[in-house]
Amino acid sequence: MRVSTRVRILAGASLASLMLSGSIAYAQETIDEPSADETDQVLDSVVVTGFRDSLAEALDLKKQSTGVVDAIVAEDIAAFPDLNLAESLQRIPGIAIDRQAGEGRRITVRGLSGDFTRVRINGMDALSTGGGSDASGGTNRSRSFDFNTFASELFSQLVVRKSQSSSIEEGSLGAVVELQTARPLDYDDGWTFSASAQALYNDLVEETSPRLAGLASYKNDTGTFGALVSAAFQDRTIREEGFSSVRFDDQGTFRSVNGAGCIGADPMPAACEEVRNSYYARIPRYGRLTYDQERTGLTGALQFRPTDRTTITVEGLYSELDAQRDEEFLQVFVRSNTDNIAVTDYNVNSDGVLDYLQGDVLADTSNGIIPMRSEHRRDYYTTEFTQLTLEVEHDFSDTLRGSFFAGQSSSSFDNPVQATVFFDAANPVEGYSYDFRNDLNLPAISYGNTDVTDPSQFLFTQFRNRPQGSDNDFETVRADLYYDFSPTMTLSGGLSFKKYDFSTREIRIDGNVADLDGFTESPVVSGDLVGLVSGYGNGLDYGSNDTSWVSANWDAAIDLSGILDITGDIGSRPQDNRSVEEEDLGGYVQLDFETNLSGMNLRGDIGARYVETTTTASGYVPGSGGLALRTVENSYTDFLPALNLVLEASDQIQFRAGVAKVMARPSLGNLTPGGSLDTFSGEPYTFSIGNPELDPYRATAFDLSAEWYFAEESLLAVSFFYKDVESFFLTPASNEVAFSSLGLPASVASSTSPLGEDLANGLDPIVAVSQVANGGEASIQGLELVYQQPFFFLPGLLQNAGFVGNLTYVDSDEIRNFSEISHNMTLYYETDRFSARVSGAYRDEYQTRAPNSSGRTEGREERGVASTYNVDLSMSYALTDQLDLTFEGINLTDEFEHQTFDQLNLPTLYHHTGRNFLLGARYTF
């Protein structure tokens, strides 16, 4: 048999249908490649005309599937009120997303982060990465895919494979996400054109931005040739505002407390000791981040059918995200400056948190800087992605067919400017205070006698620039054969070669303005240097905090100081100048079958994949002569059997089961022969050394599900999953040594970091050195519930309504970065002309870093993210058969991004980005 089960309907969805209709299709299937004739036959037999019809077709696909695969056809991406692909994917059971700048960036599948998930575009592995604020993860140097770099309008289908078959290439513990662009031979004969335009308004920045998309496709009358091109463009301005603390700290000795001197006191006064042992905010501050983004995408495809047995497809994809981000903060650097603060009043609550502090901010005795600071950072960054693929499918006979695939993809992230300008107080700040007692997330902050809107109160003191980037390149070649022994048995096999290259770079430059040529001291802020943050606090329960403050005119400050002309070297950031090359050679054999078992139909697939991986990792390591580039090669092999079964107990009830050996290659940061030094953590500072000889994560995955199609177009399903990870990574207890014994140059610590200041003061601080290793065990398990039903049984207009929802539960003692509970629900209403839906997406709180395992803070100082619930709305009305009017509301409740610290859930970040409203039209002709 051909075990294709009519899945090419998904590829038949197009950008035109994306922009013209509103429908969702969740499906689970094993995808095989049918012949061109079969594809046409399927497309001719299925007509998806609306949301409810699409749901019905998805249930039919689900019933005929073998593996655990969820899909969204193109109509859904347009119909759901989503800004990008990540937010579309979160509608699928088991998927949760991380957000940045008010939109989804990365995904987690069944509790496993993007490092454990592969993404394929048009049939081949790809990785697109970008940048972000420090709180949002900064530059992506991992295997996690940044979905916000693409316009969703470019794609015709999203497929998420949660179970493994031998025919699917290895490399994932969590899932394989497949993105497919439109193909011309999936259209009707002749020309097809479509276009859409939307205006996006954000109520925080109070600006309107355009969002445009278009497609042109041609297919000749005989169906032997087709050509397609599509384009999408979005210009978006987003504002982000709120409070952040970076994190909380303790063990800092203040200059004095209530008049009693603390520095060098022996014995230390009781008040000094109490404040020293409390948790205080390191950098309590309010800030504004402004994003200006342009997202551009192009796709193209050519298809040929020289005979009825051969199809040749050439596809290209180009995407560019070009952005500028400005970050402006007003703050006191309590971190590493406690000795410059004279505390005059305070309160330590019952949890040991310094939730109220009042005092005077004084000049640093070593450099004279008064650490009450206005900070303005600007990033210019671009992610450019290109891909070109060739696929040839040929039927050698009625029973033997094959395919050949070759492709190349490249993602380049370049952040040539990440420059920060610092204005510090010109005079001591008397009466500074912060107060968390009335609101933990939005504290009251006062700068005492300093008028923060008066430029003469500030000096231009310091600067920083961190140019950086990363590149990810894939080359893939594979060949597959399929042989039908009988209508119910197909044997397939194939070989594949894949090469992956990763490299990253960063240089850090910082210093004091007074040390630059042409300066003898820090200049008073005046004239062109003056900028102003104004109108701050819209949508915040902000109290009497400042709504305006002096901020640097970034361009003028850069021009005056010449910061961007200062060069640096890799010695300033050796851990982020590294590379990894992987070559994977693999092969598989798989048998697809269908048989009868006690009057019930049993179908499935069984097979095995063998793969050999060779890695070459390079990084800088310290030595007596300074930094040296070290390159290490490693290789390993994996044998990965897999079995998937479906038992059809009746027309309404069926059961699925799957078991497979799976693997995911080590995190890129762990493979470097060099190390990563945290210069801001405080003593003991941490130095994490990579291990280029790591073997991959290896696990056994189990899946079991039951599905009940209890009524027309309706489903109630439950799925259980369990992954037994046999080679989870371990980080052994660290070894504490003096910094001087590491052989690292002092330049690895910026002069403005706590470690840099310690070294400048002649200290030799303690550093805790650790290295990751293989050998640990871990497990993750959970369940998914799915319910969907149109309300056709209700009277009158209510029969046009319906519901789609899912809930996921995940549990693990060893793995982090997942929410225990997540759910997505959509209530819809649809007629021939009018369509409306409200969608809600909930994600439980989750931990991003485990508590400390030893020392005085054992069991404390974990990091996490608070729960979120995002509500979106989508409406459309068909004025004619060609023209639709659309309206969307995104993040209607203005949900905050809330990052937390310690078991006390102290705020490290509490920001919001406002609501987004889109008004537009879709037209086809």
Side-chain angles (χ1 to χ4, degrees):
M1 70 172 178
R2 297 220 173 158
V3 200
S4 59
T5 64
R6 301 172 63 195
V7 290
R8 289 292 290 182
I9 179 66
L10 293 176
S14 66
L15 182 63
S17 60
L18 180 155
M19 294 188 293
L20 287 168
S21 54
S23 57
I24 174 177
Y26 293 135
Q28 297 184 340
E29 75 272 30
T30 296
I31 294 182
D32 199 355
E33 294 296 327
S35 68
D37 291 340
E38 285 182 309
T39 300
D40 288 339
Q41 183 179 1
V42 171
L43 292 174
D44 290 341
S45 66
V46 178
V47 179
V48 179
T49 59
F51 192 78
R52 182 177 291 183
D53 289 337
S54 181
L55 287 174
E57 179 61 27
L59 294 189
D60 183 54
L61 291 169
K62 183 181 184 72
K63 289 185 70 173
Q64 297 182 55
S65 66
T66 300
V68 182
V69 177
D70 290 322
I72 303 179
V73 300
E75 291 92 336
D76 311 318
I77 302 172
F80 269 125
D82 299 325
L83 288 174
N84 64 25
L85 294 173
E87 301 206 5
S88 295
L89 285 166
Q90 75 173 328
R91 312 295 177 186
I92 288 177
I95 293 185
I97 67 174
D98 300 328
R99 285 184 169 85
Q100 174 199 323
E103 63 175 351
R105 182 179 182 185
R106 301 174 189 165
I107 66 171
T108 298
V109 184
R110 288 181 164 181
L112 293 170
S113 67
D115 261 357
F116 302 97
T117 298
R118 289 173 51 232
V119 175
R120 304 206 312 173
I121 301 178
N122 291 342
M124 70 168 291
D125 279 15
L127 179 58
S128 181
T129 62
S133 65
D134 291 343
S136 299
T139 295
N140 182 358
R141 296 182 172 94
S142 72
R143 297 185 191 267
S144 296
F145 194 98
D146 283 342
F147 289 90
N148 61 341
T149 60
F150 288 97
S152 60
E153 293 91 338
L154 297 176
F155 297 93
S156 63
Q157 63 162 315
L158 310 179
V159 174
V160 180
R161 302 177 182 271
K162 300 178 188 175
S163 64
Q164 184 72 21
S165 293
S166 299
S167 58
I168 307 303
E169 294 174 15
E170 79 295 330
S172 168
L173 294 190
V176 177
V177 177
E178 300 195 1
L179 313 178
Q180 180 65 53
T181 58
R183 290 179 168 182
L185 294 188
D186 294 332
Y187 287 86
D188 294 333
D189 296 347
W191 285 97
T192 300
F193 298 95
S194 62
S196 76
Q198 291 178 301
L200 185 154
Y201 175 81
N202 178 270
D203 70 347
L204 184 57
V205 73
E206 298 181 341
E207 291 186 11
T208 301
S209 306
R211 185 175 183 178
L212 308 170
L215 176 145
S217 180
Y218 171 76
K219 176 182 175 182
N220 66 3
D221 295 341
T222 59
T224 59
F225 172 75
L228 178 148
V229 62
S230 70
F233 174 78
Q234 181 182 3
D235 185 354
R236 179 171 178 257
T237 300
I238 290 296
R239 178 174 292 172
E240 178 180 336
E241 291 185 351
F243 171 78
S244 61
S245 66
V246 181
R247 59 182 182 267
F248 282 66
D249 210 345
D250 64 353
Q251 299 296 298
T253 301
F254 288 79
R255 182 171 296 190
S256 64
V257 177
N258 293 340
C262 304
I263 305 298
D266 187 17
M268 183 174 289
C272 295
E273 189 70 28
E274 182 181 25
V275 174
R276 183 177 187 274
N277 291 326
S278 66
Y279 271 127
Y280 51 83
R282 285 167 61 91
I283 312 178
R285 60 186 184 177
Y286 282 95
R288 170 182 289 173
L289 287 73
T290 304
Y291 301 78
D292 290 300
Q293 300 175 338
E294 288 188 359
R295 188 183 284 126
T296 305
L298 297 170
T299 76
L302 294 173
Q303 286 188 288
F304 307 89
R305 285 180 182 159
T307 72
D308 59 359
R309 289 181 176 272
T310 304
T311 301
I312 302 171
T313 303
V314 179
E315 295 178 288
L317 170 64
Y318 174 82
S319 178
E320 181 183 75
L321 175 64
D322 189 29
Q324 174 184 318
R325 182 181 63 254
D326 285 87
E327 304 179 20
E328 297 172 277
F329 295 98
L330 184 66
Q331 62 214 344
V332 165
F333 263 52
V334 179
R335 178 212 78 198
S336 72
N337 281 289
T338 53
D339 58 339
N340 300 319
I341 299 175
V343 178
T344 57
D345 195 11
Y346 72 94
N347 184 72
V348 177
N349 67 19
S350 59
D351 292 319
V353 177
L354 186 67
D355 59 7
Y356 169 65
L357 177 148
Q358 180 174 317
D360 301 332
V361 184
L362 308 174
D364 187 285
T365 56
S366 62
N367 59 23
I369 290 177
I370 300 169
M372 194 281 279
R373 171 168 289 182
S374 175
E375 170 185 338
H376 188 169
R377 164 178 157 180
R378 177 173 294 175
D379 287 65
Y380 293 109
Y381 56 98
T382 302
T383 294
E384 188 175 46
F385 180 89
T386 58
Q387 179 177 286
L388 184 65
T389 62
L390 167 68
E391 184 177 20
V392 180
E393 301 165 283
H394 180 71
D395 290 358
F396 297 99
S397 68
D398 291 340
T399 58
L400 179 64
R401 61 195 182 278
S403 66
F404 172 81
F405 182 95
Q408 187 274 339
S409 71
S410 176
S411 172
S412 176
F413 170 71
D414 189 25
N415 191 174
V417 174
Q418 189 191 97
T420 307
V421 174
F422 298 104
F423 290 173
D424 285 296
N427 302 293
V429 180
E430 299 176 0
Y432 164 79
S433 67
Y434 73 66
D435 191 347
F436 291 91
R437 291 175 296 182
N438 292 325
D439 192 330
L440 183 61
N441 298 317
L442 295 171
I445 299 179
S446 170
Y447 294 93
N449 68 332
T450 300
D451 180 358
V452 296
T453 64
D454 180 2
S456 67
Q457 298 289 306
F458 293 90
L459 305 176
F460 180 12
T461 55
Q462 293 182 327
F463 62 88
R464 181 173 68 208
N465 190 23
R466 297 176 176 178
Q468 55 195 277
S470 62
D471 298 298
N472 296 272
D473 299 289
F474 280 94
E475 297 175 4
T476 298
V477 178
R478 67 172 181 269
D480 300 271
L481 287 174
Y482 309 87
Y483 181 75
D484 300 326
F485 286 107
S486 70
T488 59
M489 188 174 295
T490 298
L491 180 67
S492 60
L495 296 173
S496 63
F497 173 79
K498 180 174 60 181
K499 182 181 179 182
Y500 168 58
D501 287 294
F502 161 80
S503 63
T504 186
R505 59 196 178 276
E506 181 174 347
I507 291 174
R508 295 196 168 186
I509 303 158
D510 51 52
N512 298 311
V513 174
D515 297 331
L516 296 174
D517 290 341
F519 294 88
T520 57
E521 60 183 4
S522 299
V524 175
V525 174
S526 62
D528 291 341
L529 286 176
V530 179
L532 185 71
V533 171
S534 61
Y536 185 86
N538 182 27
L540 296 175
D541 185 8
Y542 195 54
S544 60
N545 288 314
D546 294 296
T547 59
S548 297
W549 67 82
V550 169
S551 180
N553 178 332
W554 188 90
D555 291 298
I558 294 298
D559 289 343
L560 177 66
S561 58
I563 294 170
L564 300 186
D565 297 326
I566 302 174
T567 59
D569 57 54
I570 58 174
S572 61
R573 191 69 175 174
Q575 62 264 40
D576 284 328
N577 290 272
R578 49 189 167 86
S579 64
V580 175
E581 178 187 289
E582 290 177 348
E583 291 187 352
D584 313 322
L585 180 63
Y588 79 95
V589 62
Q590 179 174 300
L591 181 68
D592 294 80
F593 60 89
E594 187 172 345
T595 188
N596 188 276
L597 180 65
S598 300
M600 297 178 290
N601 191 50
L602 177 68
R603 51 193 169 83
D605 63 66
I606 184 172
R609 173 173 287 272
Y610 177 84
V611 61
E612 177 180 306
T613 303
T614 301
T615 64
T616 305
S618 298
Y620 287 91
V621 296
S624 58
L627 293 174
L629 182 65
R630 182 188 179 207
T631 299
V632 178
E633 184 174 299
N634 185 38
S635 63
Y636 47 85
T637 60
D638 288 274
F639 179 73
L640 306 169
L643 171 66
N644 293 283
L645 297 172
V646 179
L647 180 65
E648 299 173 357
S650 70
D651 289 341
Q652 291 187 326
I653 298 175
Q654 65 182 29
F655 302 94
R656 301 179 191 277
V659 59
K661 290 285 189 180
V662 294
M663 60 87 83
R665 294 180 173 89
S667 302
L668 296 171
N670 288 332
L671 287 176
T672 177
S676 176
L677 178 65
D678 187 344
T679 62
F680 287 87
S681 60
E683 194 172 4
Y685 299 94
T686 58
F687 184 43
S688 301
I689 302 174
N691 185 351
E693 297 182 350
L694 285 173
D695 287 337
Y697 299 93
R698 295 188 174 102
T700 305
F702 301 89
D703 290 277
L704 182 65
S705 64
E707 301 157 8
W708 179 28
Y709 302 86
F710 59 92
E712 184 180 359
E713 305 175 23
S714 303
L715 169 68
L716 183 62
V718 57
S719 302
F720 300 92
F721 58 88
Y722 175 78
K723 298 183 190 295
D724 181 12
V725 185
E726 303 155 7
S727 58
F728 202 70
F729 294 168
L730 295 175
T731 302
S734 58
N735 179 34
E736 295 189 351
V737 299
F739 175 85
S740 59
S741 68
L742 297 176
L744 292 171
S747 61
V748 300
S750 70
S751 61
T752 58
S753 69
L755 176 58
E757 292 175 354
D758 285 349
L759 296 175
N761 291 329
L763 302 178
D764 192 9
I766 298 298
V767 178
V769 181
S770 62
Q771 182 180 40
V772 70
N774 281 115
E777 295 183 355
S779 65
I780 190 165
Q781 53 275 328
L783 63 86
E784 297 169 355
L785 298 174
V786 178
Y787 166 65
Q788 65 183 59
Q789 184 176 22
F791 300 152
F792 55 82
F793 53 86
L794 295 178
L797 296 177
L798 293 178
Q799 65 183 313
N800 296 317
F803 176 82
V804 183
N806 61 76
L807 181 145
T808 302
Y809 168 78
V810 182
D811 178 61
S812 176
D813 291 331
E814 304 88 0
I815 297 173
R816 299 186 299 277
N817 291 299
F818 71 87
S819 296
E820 187 175 76
I821 298 290
S822 62
H823 57 73
N824 295 275
M825 300 180 184
T826 297
L827 183 66
Y828 65 88
Y829 183 89
E830 186 174 69
T831 68
D832 290 341
R833 291 287 185 186
F834 177 72
S835 177
R837 68 210 62 185
V838 177
S839 300
Y842 172 79
R843 181 173 188 180
D844 214 353
E845 70 270 13
Y846 60 97
Q847 187 185 86
T848 58
R849 173 177 157 178
N852 294 336
S853 59
S854 61
R856 62 178 176 79
T857 58
E858 181 177 357
R860 302 290 301 273
E861 299 194 358
E862 65 184 77
R863 312 285 175 80
V865 178
S867 62
T868 58
Y869 190 78
N870 287 77
V871 179
D872 306 318
L873 168 71
S874 178
M875 302 173 67
S876 67
Y877 182 77
L879 287 178
T880 69
D881 291 341
Q882 289 77 37
L883 180 62
D884 285 6
L885 299 181
T886 64
F887 174 77
E888 298 175 11
I890 299 173
N891 190 23
L892 294 178
T893 58
D894 192 13
E895 192 75 4
F896 277 65
E897 181 182 359
H898 184 189
Q899 299 177 16
T900 60
F901 176 82
D902 197 65
Q903 60 191 7
L904 301 175
N905 290 325
L906 302 172
T908 58
L909 183 82
Y910 191 72
H911 283 189
H912 75 133
T913 55
R915 303 166 183 84
N916 295 295
F917 300 96
L918 296 95
L919 180 65
R922 298 189 292 252
Y923 187 76
T924 187
F925 55 96

